[in-house]
C-alpha cells in the first residue's frame, strides 16, 4: 500500500498549507471565488520553495497520493451528497438543444486539448480517448456542479481511471463490500422516526404537515458516513478511482439522508466540509506540480489554461448563465489528479488548470462592501403570511422549497393596533412563537416578524418592500375565487413582486401528480419560466413529470415560454376554462396538486379567464392542493437580488467558523443559568429551578412564573424539536430577554407529548418590551438548537 512518512517530512507542507489557507481566506474577502485558484497557485509555489520536502511532490510518492486521494474523495463525496440530497436541483431555462450542446462542448474541447498538449508523448488511441474523457470531466467540473454534468463527469472519470493489475478482473471482496454498503445505506434511509405533533393549527388541513419527523440521530448520521466511506473504498478497490468513487458514495449517502431527514430540512454541515475539502484539494493539486517540467512545456500549459477559460465561457453562453462563465469549483482538480495518477496528463496540464483558475480570480465578482452586504443580508426571498389556525409548517416548508436558496423564510403575522378590529399583539406573538418552534423541529430556518398594521395586505406589502422579498405567500380561503380574499387584492395593488395563495400547502409536495394551468396571456408575463422552475423544484416529482394545460392558446406557446422546463408530450390545450375539468379528469382526493399561473389584474395580458379559472378549480377539485401564482409586475427581476452579489456574501457558517453560540445562549452559560444532568425527578421541580435562576432574589415572581410554565407544559407544550420543551413569557423584573436551560438524560415524561422532555428551555422577556425583542431572542435560541447542536452538547 504505502509507508507513513516521518513527521519531519510532512511538517513543512502542513505548515505551508495552513499559511496558504490563511492567505486564501484573505483573498476571499475581496474575491470570494478566488480562494480555489489562490490555493492551487500557493501549492505550486510551496512545492518549488521547499526543496527539503520536494520528494513528497513526486507522482510515485505514496504519501502524496494518499493526501491527494483523500482530498479528492472528500470533496467529491461532499459534492455528491449535496446533489443526492437535493429534491430537484434547479435547471437552466435554456432550450433543450442548448443544454445538450453545453454538455457535449467540453467533450470536444477535451479531445482537442488532449490531442495536442495533455497526453504523454507516444500514447496510443486508447490512452488518447481516456485522456480526452478525463480532461472533459475536468471541464464539466470547473463550475458549480449541475447534476447532469456532475453525473457525466463521474462516469467519464470512472472510465478513464478504471484498471486493475495485469488486466485481471477485480477481486470479489470489494464488489461484495460495495453491495453491502449500498444495502446499508438503503436500510439507513428507511429508519425514519415519527415525532410528535408540533405547532399544529386548528384547521382541518393542518394535519398533513403538523407531524414532524425527528432529525436524524448522531448514531444514524455516523452509520451513514461509515457506510459511504466503505462504499467509496470498495468502488476504488474495484478500480474506479477515488474521485468517481467519492462522488458515487456521496450521492448514495445524500439520497439516504434525504429520505430520512425532516420535510424541508436543510443543513447538515456538508457545505462547510465541502469548502474546507475544496481548499485542501486545490493546494495538494498545485503542490504536486513540478515547476521545472511545467516550465519546459509552458506553451502546453498556456493552451490548457486557454481551453479551460474558453470552455467555461462557451458553456455560460449556451446556458445563458453568467455565474458559469469562469472556472470556480474545485472538482476540476480532482479530475485532473485522477488523470495524472492514471498517467493520462502531464504536469503542464495541471499547471495550465491552476493558471486558468488564477486568471479567473480577479475577473470574478467582488465581494460587496460592508453596507451592500448588510443590505443584502437583510433580504428575505420569501415571506409567508401566517395566522392562528393555519398550516404554518406546510406553508413555510413550501416557501423554502420555492425559494430554493440557502436563506431563511420570514414568517410574518399582522397585528391590528389597539382598539382596531383584527388580531391582537399577544395572539400574533404566540402564533409566531409556535411557527418558530415548528420550523426548528422540522430543520427549517425561519425569521419571525410581527407587523403592526390596520390591514393584512398593507402590513405584508410594507415588510416585503423593506426586506426586498421576491415572493409573498399567503393562505387561500375556502373558496378559490381571488375576489373572496381582500388580502390578495391588496397585495397585488401594493407589492410589485410575485404573490401566491395556496390551499393545503402541507399536501403539495406529497401529491403524486402536478398540473400547471395557464390562461392565454399568462405565458407572456414576466417571470413565467422562473415560476415554472420554482414550482418544479418545490414538488417532489421533478420537472420531467410536470403536466400542463394551456387555455385559449396553442400548447406550443406555453412550451416556448417555459424555456425547456416542460416536455412537449405533457402539455395539452383547451379552448376555454370551462373545458379544464374534463381535460384533467377525475383525480383521487389529494392525489393531484394544481398551480394556476395568472396574469396580474390591470396588465395588458389579463382577461376574464384569469379570474374565472380559480373559481372553476375550487369547485371542481375542492380537496386538491392548489396554488394561485401572480408574477411580478414590470421586469423579471422585480423584487430580486443579483445572484452573483448574493453568492458573494459570506454565509453564516463562514462568518462564524468556530460554531459559536448566539449571544443570549452565551449569556445564559456565563450567568450560570444552564443546568445539565439535573437531579429533579419531576418537570415541575425542574421548571422551578429554572425560574429561580431567572429571579434569584424574588421567590414570589419565580413561583408565579413556574406555575404558569407548568400549566402550559401540561396543556399546550411547544417543542423546538422532539424532547426539547420551550417555555416563554413576558414578566416584570427582568431588564433584557433572559434564558435558562435545563437538561436531564433520563428525561421528564409528560402526558401531552409522546417522548420525554430531555431539555427544558425557559425564555423570559420584560413585560414592557415589544414582541420584536422576544421573537429575536427566540430565533437565537432556535438557531442554537438547530445549527449549533446545543441539545447534544447539553446531554453529552
Amino acid at each position: 500500500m504505502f509507508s507513513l512518512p516521518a513527521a519531519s517530512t510532512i511538517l513543512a507542507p502542513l505548515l505551508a498549507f495552513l499559511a496558504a489557507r490563511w492567505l486564501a481566506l484573505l483573498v476571499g474577502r475581496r474575491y470570494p471565488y478566488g480562494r480555489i485558484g489562490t490555493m492551487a497557485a500557493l501549492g505550486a509555489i510551496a512545492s518549488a520553495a521547499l526543496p527539503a520536502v520536494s520528494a513528497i511532490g513526486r507522482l510515485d510518492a505514496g504519501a502524496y497520493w494518499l493526501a491527494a486521494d483523500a482530498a479528492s474523495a472528500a470533496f467529491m463525496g461532499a459534492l455528491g451528497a449535496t446533489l443526492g440530497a437535493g429534491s430537484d436541483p434547479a435547471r437552466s431555462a435554456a432550450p433543450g438543444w442548448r443544454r445538450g450542446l453545453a454538455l457535449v462542448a467540453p467533450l470536444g474541447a477535451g479531445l482537442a486539448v488532449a490531442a495536442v498538449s495533455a497526453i504523454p508523448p507516444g500514447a496510443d488511441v486508447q490512452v488518447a480517448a481516456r485522456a480526452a474523457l478525463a480532461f472533459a470531466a475536468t471541464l464539466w467540473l470547473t463550475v458549480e456542479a449541475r447534476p447532469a454534468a456532475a453525473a457525466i463527469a463521474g462516469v467519464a472519470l470512472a472510465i478513464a481511471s478504471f484498471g486493475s493489475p495485469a488486466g485481471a478482473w477485480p477481486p470479489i471482496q470489494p464488489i461484495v463490500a460495495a453491495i453491502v454498503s449500498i444495502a446499508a445505506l438503503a436500510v439507513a434511509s428507511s429508519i425514519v422516526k415519527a415525532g410528535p405533533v408540533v405547532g399544529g393549527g386548528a384547521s382541518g388541513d393542518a394535519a398533513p404537515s403538523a407531524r414532524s419527523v425527528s432529525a436524524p440521530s448522531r448514531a444514524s448520521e455516523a452509520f451513514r458516513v461509515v457506510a459511504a466511506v466503505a462504499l467509496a473504498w470498495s468502488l476504488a478497490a474495484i478500480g474506479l478511482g477515488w474521485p468517481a468513487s467519492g462522488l458515487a458514495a456521496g450521492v448514495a449517502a445524500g439520497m439516504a439522508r434525504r429520505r430520512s431527514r425532516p420535510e424541508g430540512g436543510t443543513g447538515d454541515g456538508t457545505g462547510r466540509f465541502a469548502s474546507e475539502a475544496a481548499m485542501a484539494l486545490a493546494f495538494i493539486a498545485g503542490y504536486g506540480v513540478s515547476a521545472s517540467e511545467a516550465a519546459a512545456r509552458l506553451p502546453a500549459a498556456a493552451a490548457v489554461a486557454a481551453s479551460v477559460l474558453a470552455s467555461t465561457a462557451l458553456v455560460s453562453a449556451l446556458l445563458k448563465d453568467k455565474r458559469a462563465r469562469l472556472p470556480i469549483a474545485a472538482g476540476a482538480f480532482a479530475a485532473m489528479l485522477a488523470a495524472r495518477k492514471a498517467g493520462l496528463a502531464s504536469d503542464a496540464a495541471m499547471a495550465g488548470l491552476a493558471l486558468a483558475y488564477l486568471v479567473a480570480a480577479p475577473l470574478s465578482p467582488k465581494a460587496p462592501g460592508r453596507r451592500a452586504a448588510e443590505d443584502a443580508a437583510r433580504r428575505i426571498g420569501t415571506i409567508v403570511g401566517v395566522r392562528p389556525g393555519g398550516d404554518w409548517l406546510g406553508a413555510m416548508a413550501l416557501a423554502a422549497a420555492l425559494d430554493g436558496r440557502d436563506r431563511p423564510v420570514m414568517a410574518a403575522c399582522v397585528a391590528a393596533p389597539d382598539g382596531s378590529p383584527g388580531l391582537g399583539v399577544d395572539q400574533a406573538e404566540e402564533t409566531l412563537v409556535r411557527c418558530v418552534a415548528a420550523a426548528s423541529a422540522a430543520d427549517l430556518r425561519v425569521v419571525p416578524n410581527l407587523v403592526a398594521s390596520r390591514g393584512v395586505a398593507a402590513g405584508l406589502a410594507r415588510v416585503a418592500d423593506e426586506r426586498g422579498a421576491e415572493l409573498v405567500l399567503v393562505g387561500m380561503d375556502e373558496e378559490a375565487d381571488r375576489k373572496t380574499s381582500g388580502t390578495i387584492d391588496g397585495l397585488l395593488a401594493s407589492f410589485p413582486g410575485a404573490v401566491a395563495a395556496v390551499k393545503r400547502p402541507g399536501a403539495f409536495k406529497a401529491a403524486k401528480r402536478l398540473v400547471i394551468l395557464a390562461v392565454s396571456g399568462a405565458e407572456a408575463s414576466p417571470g413565467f419560466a422562473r415560476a415554472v422552475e420554482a414550482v418544479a423544484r418545490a414538488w417532489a416529482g421533478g420537472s420531467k413529470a410536470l403536466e400542463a394545460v394551456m387555455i385559449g392558446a396553442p400548447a406550443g406557446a406555453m412550451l416556448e415560454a417555459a424555456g425547456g422546463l416542460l416536455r412537449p408530450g405533457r402539455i395539452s390545450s383547451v379552448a376555454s376554462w370551462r373545458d379544464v375539468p374534463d381535460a384533467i379528469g377525475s383525480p383521487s382526493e389529494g392525489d393531484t396538486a394544481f398551480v394556476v399561473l395568472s396574469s396580474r389584474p390591470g396588465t395588458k395580458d389579463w382577461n376574464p379567464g384569469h379570474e374565472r379559472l380559480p373559481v372553476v378549480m375550487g369547485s371542481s377539485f375542492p380537496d386538491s392542493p392548489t396554488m394561485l401564482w401572480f408574477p411580478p409586475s414590470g421586469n423579471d427581476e422585480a423584487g430580486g437580488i443579483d445572484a452573483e452579489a448574493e453568492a458573494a456574501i459570506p454565509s453564516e457558517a463562514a462568518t462564524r467558523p468556530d460554531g459559536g453560540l448566539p449571544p443570549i445562549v452565551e449569556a445564559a452559560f456565563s450567568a450560570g443559568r444552564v443546568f445539565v444532568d439535573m437531579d429533579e425527578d419531576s418537570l415541575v421541580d425542574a421548571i422551578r429551578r429554572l425560574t429561580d435562576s431567572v429571579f434569584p432574589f424574588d421567590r414570589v415572581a419565580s413561583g408565579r412564573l413556574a406555575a404558569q410554565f407548568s400549566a402550559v407544559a401540561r396543556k399546550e407544550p411547544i417543542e423546538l424539536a422532539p424532547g426539547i420543551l420551550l417555555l416563554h413569557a413576558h414578566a416584570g423584573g427582568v431588564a433584557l430577554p433572559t434564558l435558562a436551560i435545563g437538561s436531564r438524560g433520563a428525561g421528564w415524561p409528560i402526558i401531552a407529548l409522546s417522548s420525554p422532555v430531555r431539555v427544558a428551555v425557559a425564555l423570559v422577556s420584560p413585560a414592557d418590551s415589544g414582541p420584536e425583542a422576544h421573537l429575536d431572542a427566540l430565533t437565537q435560541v432556535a438557531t442554537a438548537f438547530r445549527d449549533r447542536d446545543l441539545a447534544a452538547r447539553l446531554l453529552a
Side-chain angles (χ1 to χ4, degrees):
M1 293 287 291
F2 58 87
S3 58
L4 292 176
S8 58
T9 307
I10 65 173
L11 182 59
L14 177 59
L15 292 176
F17 166 74
L18 294 176
R21 180 182 179 276
W22 178 74
L23 290 172
L25 292 176
L26 286 180
V27 171
R29 292 183 180 180
R30 182 65 171 168
Y31 297 101
Y33 293 118
R35 297 174 183 173
I36 303 303
T38 302
M39 289 296 290
L42 292 176
I45 293 173
S47 177
L50 298 175
V53 290
S54 60
I56 201 173
R58 293 202 306 264
L59 296 181
D60 58 353
Y64 175 78
W65 284 114
L66 171 64
D69 288 342
S72 298
F75 175 78
M76 297 298 286
L79 173 62
T82 301
L83 297 176
S87 58
D88 185 30
R91 292 181 60 187
S92 168
W97 69 270
R98 282 180 171 268
R99 296 198 304 271
L101 195 55
L103 289 176
V104 174
L107 183 60
L111 181 61
V113 175
V116 265
S117 61
I119 330 178
D124 58 20
V125 176
Q126 180 186 10
V127 173
R130 292 171 60 201
L133 281 177
F135 198 81
T138 301
L139 297 176
W140 278 315
L141 294 173
T142 52
V143 295
E144 297 295 345
R146 296 173 295 275
I152 295 175
V155 173
L157 284 175
I159 296 173
S161 304
F162 184 79
S164 56
W169 184 254
I172 192 63
Q173 292 90 338
I175 298 177
V176 174
I179 296 173
V180 172
S181 300
I182 294 173
L185 287 170
V187 171
S189 69
S190 65
I191 303 175
V192 182
K193 180 180 177 183
V197 173
V198 180
S203 63
D205 61 349
S209 64
R211 182 189 68 84
S212 71
V213 178
S214 65
S217 66
R218 296 172 69 90
S220 63
E221 287 289 342
F223 180 76
R224 265 189 289 273
V225 171
V226 171
V229 171
L231 177 58
W233 174 86
S234 304
L235 295 176
I238 291 173
L240 298 187
W242 279 105
S245 301
L247 180 65
V251 169
M255 294 177 66
R257 191 176 194 279
R258 179 178 66 184
R259 293 186 57 189
S260 61
R261 72 183 179 185
E263 183 73 15
T266 52
D268 61 349
T270 303
R272 176 74 180 172
F273 177 79
S275 176
E276 294 295 336
M279 289 195 288
L281 174 61
F283 180 85
I284 197 68
Y287 194 82
V289 174
S290 170
S292 58
E293 183 176 340
R297 301 191 63 190
L298 192 58
V304 172
S307 67
V308 171
L309 294 170
S311 176
T312 52
L314 175 61
V315 171
S316 173
L318 289 172
L319 296 178
K320 298 180 179 180
D321 184 359
K322 295 188 299 181
R323 292 169 291 179
R325 72 177 186 271
L326 292 170
I328 57 175
F333 289 100
M336 189 60 78
L337 281 171
R340 290 193 65 198
K341 188 174 184 179
L344 303 175
S346 63
D347 276 13
M350 182 65 80
L353 181 63
L355 178 60
Y357 276 69
L358 194 60
V359 170
L363 302 177
S364 62
K366 296 180 181 179
R370 180 176 179 180
R371 187 181 198 114
E374 291 176 352
D375 291 343
R378 281 179 48 81
R379 290 181 179 266
I380 294 289
T382 304
I383 293 177
V384 180
V386 298
R387 59 187 178 183
D391 184 3
W392 315 315
L393 185 56
M396 291 184 295
L398 178 60
L402 288 170
D403 186 53
R405 303 182 191 177
D406 185 19
R407 56 185 178 182
V409 170
M410 174 172 284
C413 189
V414 178
D418 292 340
S420 301
L423 198 64
V425 173
D426 292 342
Q427 289 178 290
E429 181 182 90
E430 183 65 21
T431 299
L432 288 173
V433 168
R434 292 183 176 271
C435 281
V436 173
S440 179
D443 200 20
L444 285 169
R445 295 169 58 199
V446 169
V447 175
N449 194 329
L450 195 152
V451 186
S453 176
R454 294 184 182 276
V456 174
L460 292 177
R462 185 178 75 245
V463 72
D465 182 65
E466 292 173 352
R467 301 304 293 267
E470 299 173 10
L471 170 67
V472 174
L473 181 71
V474 296
M476 189 183 295
D477 294 339
E478 291 298 325
E479 298 83 5
D481 190 350
R482 178 181 56 82
K483 287 295 184 181
T484 63
S485 176
T487 299
I488 302 176
D489 277 338
L491 281 170
L492 292 173
S494 55
F495 175 58
V499 176
V502 62
K503 178 176 69 177
R504 298 191 64 204
F508 186 88
K509 191 171 185 177
K512 298 178 181 178
R513 181 185 178 201
L514 179 62
V515 181
I516 297 179
L517 303 108
V519 179
S520 176
E523 79 283 0
S525 300
F528 184 87
R530 290 178 63 184
V532 174
E533 180 184 2
V535 168
R537 180 171 54 240
W539 182 52
S543 60
K544 295 181 180 179
L546 287 177
E547 300 177 41
V549 178
M550 187 73 201
I551 299 102
M558 190 174 186
L559 180 65
E560 182 179 357
L565 294 169
L566 298 175
R567 289 193 167 188
R570 290 184 170 270
I571 303 179
S572 60
S573 62
V574 295
S576 168
W577 49 266
R578 297 182 181 88
D579 303 322
V580 170
D582 292 336
I584 294 174
S586 301
S588 304
E589 180 179 351
D591 181 67
T592 302
F594 299 101
V595 176
V596 179
L597 301 179
S598 177
S599 296
R600 295 176 78 103
T603 62
K604 64 178 181 179
D605 301 314
W606 186 87
N607 63 65
H610 293 275
E611 188 174 278
R612 296 302 305 165
L613 182 58
V615 179
V616 172
M617 299 304 298
S619 59
S620 301
F621 310 101
D623 299 320
S624 294
T626 305
M627 183 190 303
L628 180 58
W629 182 294
F630 295 91
S633 60
N635 59 65
D636 195 10
E637 302 299 328
I641 177 175
D642 181 71
E644 288 189 358
E646 181 189 32
I649 299 169
S651 65
E652 181 183 4
T655 56
R656 301 195 65 170
D658 58 347
L661 294 171
I664 192 171
V665 182
E666 293 280 12
F669 273 98
S670 299
R673 294 192 301 271
V674 177
F675 308 95
V676 297
D677 198 18
M678 297 181 72
D679 296 327
E680 286 77 5
D681 293 328
S682 70
L683 181 60
V684 172
D685 293 338
I687 291 174
R688 179 56 189 262
R689 186 175 176 188
L690 296 181
T691 58
D692 283 344
S693 70
V694 176
F695 297 101
F697 307 111
D698 191 342
R699 295 188 60 80
V700 174
S702 174
R704 185 164 52 244
L705 186 60
Q708 176 184 340
F709 281 164
S710 297
V712 170
R714 287 195 304 270
K715 299 176 182 178
E716 295 180 293
I718 303 174
E719 287 191 295
L720 289 173
I724 304 175
L725 175 68
L726 171 65
L727 305 165
H728 75 102
H730 289 263
V734 292
L736 296 170
T738 304
L739 180 69
I741 305 174
S743 66
R744 186 170 187 260
W748 299 284
I750 57 177
I751 297 176
L753 298 177
S754 59
S755 58
V757 173
R758 303 178 70 195
V759 179
V761 180
L763 175 62
V764 184
S765 295
D768 56 353
S769 69
E772 294 82 7
H774 189 67
L775 293 172
D776 178 68
L778 175 60
T779 303
Q780 293 186 47
V781 173
T783 299
F785 282 99
R786 185 190 64 241
D787 298 338
R788 304 288 187 257
D789 212 9
L790 180 56
R793 298 189 192 185
L794 296 172
L795 295 170

